[in-house]
Amino acid sequence: MSRPPNQEFQEWWNKQQSANGSEDLFPSSSENSSFLTVEVSSPTVAEKERTRSARQLSWICLLKFQQIANSIAFLTNGFISIVRTANRRIVTSNSAPPRSDSRLYRVIKVFLTVSVILLVFELVAYFRGWHFSPPTVESASAEVVDLAEHVYANWLDIRANYLAPPLQSLINMCIILFLIQSVDRVVLVLGCFWIKFRGLKPLAEIDYSSDVENLNSEDYPMVLLQIPMCNEREVYQQSIAAVCVQDWPKDRMLVQILDDSDDLGVQGLIKAEVQKWQQKGVHIIYRHRLIRTGYKAGNLKSAMSCDYVKNYEFVAIFDADFQPTPDFLKNTVPYFKGHDDVALVQTRWAFVNKDENLLTRLQNINLAFHFEIEQQVNGWFINFFGFNGTAGVWRIKALEECGGWLERTTVEDMDIAVRAHLCGWKFIYVNDVKCLCELPESYETYKKQQHRWHSGPMQLFRLCFSDILRSKVSWLKKANLIFLFFLLRKLILPFYSFTLFCIILPLTMFLPEAQLPAWVVCYVPGLMSVLNILPAPQSFPFIVPYLLFENTMSVTKFNAMISGLFQLGSSYEWIVTKKAGRSSEADLVAMVENESESLLKKNTVSRSSSESGLAELNKLEMTKKIGKRKRNRLYRKELALAFILLTASVRSLLSAQGIHFYFLLFQGFTFLVVGLDLIGEQVS
């Protein structure tokens, strides 16, 4: 039975609630009332605040987890993509016809085998604790039970007494060469700073900047413009158009298209392009050799043998991918006026595809230093530098006096520059005049180009060394040619780069008695990289990839230097640098259209003839042959060196060598990326 409700207590409770409110449960004590208020209300507010903070914290954690998951997924996908690409290229390489091993590759394979064996040996020694208490020959002989300890003790004795001393001597020699080359680089940079600070520039005696129509054409010298090319399907139109629209009297210039193409389709396209410009009133002729002897040098030599060449005073040379601006001749020819001893006016290159990929960005750093600093300083202070083979204007008299174009090397441009210098002629470099061109976008093309650029100078040095000694120039110029131009910048630079960072550094990990200082590995190369990147400050974020990639390219440059110096088979190999046809097409088309309209009005060329030429051109474009399918490939020397450096990095990790470990790790990874052809243009 339920207890009956207490009516008296209920009435009392209602009175207390109405009188004091719901706050005072026990009105007998004000302190208790206050105390209870704090106890009841405070925890409620704190609990609400804690609940809100926890919710915010949970959202932050979720966002962090999502970012981490996205990063892991990105890295995983990238790693899987690299593995798949490497696997595909390895399979493709196995299916390709076998290639003969070069001498350098065989040496690198032996080095790799020795490195792996030594690493296994050092790992055994490390886990047995011999690194902390290395055994001696005497102690190991006393304990004949452990054969491995006896062998390791003898290995320590051999490397300390017989292997480390000659290696240390080689290290010291390479360090000296490295410092000499670094001093040369610093001097060049200081010379460029002096030129910029003083505002030094070559001065022209005459100005052709006014309109051609308002001047007498006799005031303009006769200029021959040459475009040597070979199977240049991608770039022939833009190069011919850029040369034909030069702002120069048409009766004072002649364009020679020197075509060595063996592709009949390309020959037809170039002929049609030449006919189109002939109809527009441009003095342009097409020359084709049946026998391509001497490559580019033979092509230029054949063109200069024409009878009409004697009517011209200067010759401007442009490779097939170069696009000079319409005022190119106006900005270069005036420097010959009043300077009868000047043989060459060289302009700077500018690149339309320098931001296409990482490879083109790194090339731009190198070539910016070459033109902005090396060419400018040498041109101003000693009036000599190597001709770049294009985007320059020669005095024809100087070419004839020094013997003309010779076919004895693959660097005919450097050859004729050295011979002209020995004959007493001077060169002028104009840094303000730029000529658009294209950089190689694939590593294969870039590697072949660099092989030719570094084997040719050694051929030339071997051929002209006696001529330099017998020449009538001063001993200062002879010393500059032999020691700076050839030995230091063409021979010593690739030698110490490859030997020091690809051979000696890994060896010092397995022969720790011979030491390579950290400032040679990291600090001085870093400083030199900063100096190299000064002419292209927008490329500063790529300074580390640039340093690592230059060390990687030292393999190709060293191999090319050796082949050129000792007349090996690959030293005379000439492969035309393939172009992609990337250019400032919009500006060029607009320029050509404007020039075409003015020429059509001036020469009253009928539209029907022009349309017939274009129809023929379009027909030939439709019937052009399809070239070989491009593909990426594997590079065995780079891959073998990658494994050598990564093996040495593991050995460095056992010895706790910080800077050496990181350098070997990153350099080995760079060799791996290059060996898998993951830099530059990627072809699926």
Side-chain angles (χ1 to χ4, degrees):
M1 258 177 98
S2 61
R3 188 174 59 179
N6 191 341
Q7 299 295 334
E8 296 179 358
F9 178 78
Q10 185 67 35
E11 292 177 359
W12 175 80
W13 177 260
N14 291 335
K15 291 179 181 180
Q16 294 295 327
Q17 289 291 326
S18 60
N20 302 325
S22 59
E23 296 179 356
D24 298 333
L25 297 178
F26 301 98
S28 59
S29 175
S30 61
E31 291 182 1
N32 291 342
S33 177
S34 175
F35 175 78
L36 289 174
T37 301
V38 174
E39 288 292 317
V40 172
S41 60
S42 251
T44 304
V45 176
E47 184 178 356
K48 289 182 179 179
E49 290 179 355
R50 281 197 299 270
T51 303
R52 190 180 300 116
S53 299
R55 185 180 300 133
Q56 292 174 352
L57 186 60
S58 63
W59 281 109
I60 292 174
C61 291
L62 288 175
L63 290 174
K64 293 292 183 181
F65 287 141
Q66 184 179 7
Q67 292 176 353
I68 294 173
N70 291 337
S71 301
I72 294 175
F74 175 77
L75 294 175
T76 304
N77 292 334
F79 179 75
I80 294 174
S81 177
I82 291 175
V83 171
R84 287 178 177 175
T85 302
N87 182 59
R88 182 173 65 250
R89 290 176 188 172
I90 291 172
V91 173
T92 306
S93 177
N94 292 334
S95 62
R99 294 175 291 174
S100 59
D101 291 348
S102 64
R103 296 180 181 88
L104 181 60
Y105 179 61
R106 289 196 291 267
V107 172
I108 293 175
K109 284 199 299 184
V110 173
F111 187 21
L112 175 60
T113 304
V114 173
S115 300
V116 173
I117 294 173
L118 290 178
L119 178 61
V120 173
F121 204 35
E122 293 294 338
L123 285 173
V124 173
Y126 181 81
F127 287 111
R128 290 202 176 191
W130 294 338
H131 282 272
F132 303 101
S133 58
T136 61
V137 177
E138 293 78 10
S139 62
S141 300
E143 301 175 2
V144 294
V145 180
D146 196 344
L147 179 61
E149 185 175 357
H150 179 72
V151 173
Y152 187 72
N154 282 275
W155 162 245
L156 293 179
D157 183 67
I158 291 173
R159 80 183 191 188
N161 297 323
Y162 301 101
L163 299 180
L167 179 61
Q168 189 65 54
S169 300
L170 182 61
I171 291 174
N172 296 335
M173 183 188 72
C174 288
I175 290 176
I176 293 173
L177 297 177
F178 178 41
L179 292 177
I180 293 174
Q181 198 273 334
S182 301
V183 170
D184 174 63
R185 190 61 53 97
V186 172
V187 170
L188 288 174
V189 172
L190 293 177
C192 183
F193 280 148
W194 179 257
I195 292 174
K196 297 293 184 182
F197 177 72
R198 297 296 300 272
L200 304 176
K201 292 182 180 180
L203 299 177
E205 296 289 337
I206 192 172
D207 185 12
Y208 290 118
S209 60
S210 57
D211 191 4
V212 176
E213 297 179 356
N214 297 332
L215 294 177
N216 187 0
S217 62
E218 299 296 330
D219 297 333
Y220 294 85
M222 298 286 286
V223 180
L224 185 67
L225 299 100
Q226 297 177 334
I227 308 179
M229 57 177 61
C230 179
N231 297 324
E232 305 286 1
R233 184 189 300 272
E234 295 81 9
V235 293
Y236 73 94
Q237 280 183 309
Q238 59 199 34
S239 61
I240 293 176
V243 171
C244 288
V245 299
Q246 284 296 305
D247 191 8
W248 200 259
K250 302 306 176 185
D251 59 336
R252 309 295 290 178
M253 58 178 277
L254 172 65
V255 180
Q256 281 184 320
I257 307 301
L258 312 177
D259 186 23
D260 267 0
S261 302
D262 54 8
D263 188 331
L264 295 179
V266 176
Q267 293 179 24
L269 293 171
I270 297 175
K271 286 180 182 178
E273 186 72 15
V274 170
Q275 292 174 3
K276 182 179 72 175
W277 286 100
Q278 285 176 345
Q279 293 174 359
K280 295 177 181 179
V282 178
H283 292 176
I284 180 173
I285 60 175
Y286 174 84
R287 284 179 54 86
H288 180 265
R289 296 192 303 161
L290 296 178
I291 302 176
R292 189 189 171 208
T293 58
Y295 304 109
K296 181 180 176 182
N299 199 359
L300 294 172
K301 181 179 180 181
S302 174
M304 295 300 294
S305 64
C306 298
D307 293 335
Y308 54 80
V309 172
K310 63 178 180 293
N311 299 324
Y312 294 85
E313 186 176 358
F314 304 104
V315 55
I317 303 172
F318 304 98
D319 282 349
D321 61 317
F322 277 72
Q323 306 165 47
T325 56
D327 57 352
F328 179 86
L329 292 180
K330 286 186 173 182
N331 292 330
T332 53
V333 175
Y335 291 99
F336 290 99
K337 185 71 173 179
H339 301 91
D340 295 335
D341 57 347
V342 172
L344 168 68
V345 174
Q346 174 71 57
T347 63
R348 182 175 179 171
W349 299 358
F351 310 106
V352 296
N353 61 337
K354 64 181 180 180
D355 298 324
E356 185 65 27
N357 53 46
L358 178 60
L359 179 61
T360 58
R361 290 177 184 273
L362 300 180
Q363 292 179 67
N364 179 58
I365 295 173
N366 252 343
L367 291 172
F369 181 88
H370 172 71
F371 285 104
E372 182 78 20
I373 295 182
E374 190 172 354
Q375 294 280 78
Q376 188 169 206
V377 171
N378 290 331
W380 180 260
F381 289 104
I382 60 178
N383 299 117
F384 169 72
F385 47 83
F387 175 46
N388 299 121
T390 178
V393 183
W394 276 91
R395 189 188 297 271
I396 295 180
K397 179 182 177 181
L399 292 177
E400 295 173 347
E401 184 177 320
C402 65
W405 300 101
L406 298 181
E407 307 166 8
R408 57 182 182 173
T409 70
T410 57
V411 284
E412 74 294 328
D413 45 6
M414 185 181 295
D415 185 5
I416 200 166
V418 170
R419 286 185 282 116
H421 181 59
L422 295 178
C423 291
W425 291 95
K426 296 181 179 180
F427 301 165
I428 291 179
Y429 174 74
V430 186
N431 191 57
D432 296 334
V433 181
K434 298 180 180 180
C435 190
L436 289 176
C437 63
E438 182 181 331
L439 290 167
E441 296 182 8
S442 68
Y443 179 69
E444 181 181 7
T445 304
Y446 179 62
K447 184 176 181 180
K448 291 177 180 178
Q449 181 197 69
Q450 292 300 305
H451 188 277
R452 177 166 55 87
W453 284 5
H454 286 82
S455 65
M458 290 298 98
Q459 298 175 27
L460 181 60
F461 177 67
R462 183 171 40 79
L463 293 172
C464 70
F465 179 72
S466 58
D467 295 335
I468 296 175
L469 296 179
R470 293 196 303 265
S471 64
K472 297 180 179 179
V473 298
S474 64
W475 283 102
L476 187 60
K477 292 184 177 180
K478 292 179 181 180
N480 172 69
L481 272 176
I482 294 175
F483 295 107
L484 290 181
F485 186 75
F486 280 112
L487 291 181
L488 184 60
R489 297 167 188 166
K490 303 297 188 297
L491 188 147
I492 290 177
L493 178 58
F495 170 77
Y496 88 75
S497 297
F498 173 74
T499 306
L500 198 61
F501 298 109
C502 300
I503 302 298
I504 291 179
L505 180 58
L507 274 178
T508 56
M509 298 299 102
F510 298 104
L511 304 176
E513 292 81 5
Q515 296 182 353
L516 187 62
W519 59 269
V520 177
V521 177
C522 180
Y523 304 124
V524 176
L527 176 60
M528 292 301 104
S529 299
V530 172
L531 295 181
N532 285 350
I533 215 167
L534 286 178
Q538 70 278 4
S539 302
F540 192 81
F542 302 95
I543 186 170
V544 174
Y546 169 75
L547 172 60
L548 297 174
F549 181 70
E550 279 302 293
N551 292 335
T552 306
M553 282 304 299
S554 66
V555 184
T556 299
K557 297 175 182 179
F558 176 82
N559 187 34
M561 181 267 294
I562 294 296
S563 65
L565 190 62
F566 296 102
Q567 285 185 278
L568 302 181
S570 61
S571 61
Y572 290 96
E573 183 182 16
W574 179 289
I575 299 176
V576 177
T577 303
K578 295 298 180 182
K579 291 90 177 176
R582 300 184 188 275
S583 59
S584 54
E585 295 178 357
D587 297 338
L588 186 60
V589 169
M591 177 181 65
V592 172
E593 288 179 351
N594 295 334
E595 184 67 16
S596 299
E597 292 177 0
S598 62
L599 287 173
L600 286 171
K601 293 179 181 179
K602 182 177 180 180
N603 297 284
T604 64
V605 179
S606 63
R607 180 179 296 274
S608 60
S609 62
S610 177
E611 290 178 351
S612 64
L614 291 175
E616 182 183 358
L617 182 62
N618 293 331
K619 183 179 179 181
L620 289 170
E621 284 281 6
M622 295 297 295
T623 59
K624 66 182 181 181
K625 297 195 302 181
I626 300 176
K628 293 183 179 179
R629 185 179 178 183
K630 297 168 62 178
R631 63 181 177 86
N632 293 98
R633 51 182 295 187
L634 296 177
Y635 297 97
R636 298 176 298 174
K637 288 193 289 289
E638 285 80 357
L639 286 176
L641 281 166
F643 293 126
I644 289 174
L645 292 168
L646 293 175
T647 302
S649 69
V650 176
R651 175 64 182 88
S652 176
L653 185 62
L654 298 178
S655 303
Q657 296 181 348
I659 292 179
H660 296 75
F661 165 73
Y662 289 114
F663 182 86
L664 287 167
L665 180 64
F666 292 130
Q667 189 66 70
F669 180 74
T670 305
F671 267 102
L672 186 63
V673 169
V674 173
L676 294 174
D677 201 4
L678 296 175
I679 187 173
E681 181 185 24
Q682 297 297 300
V683 182
S684 59

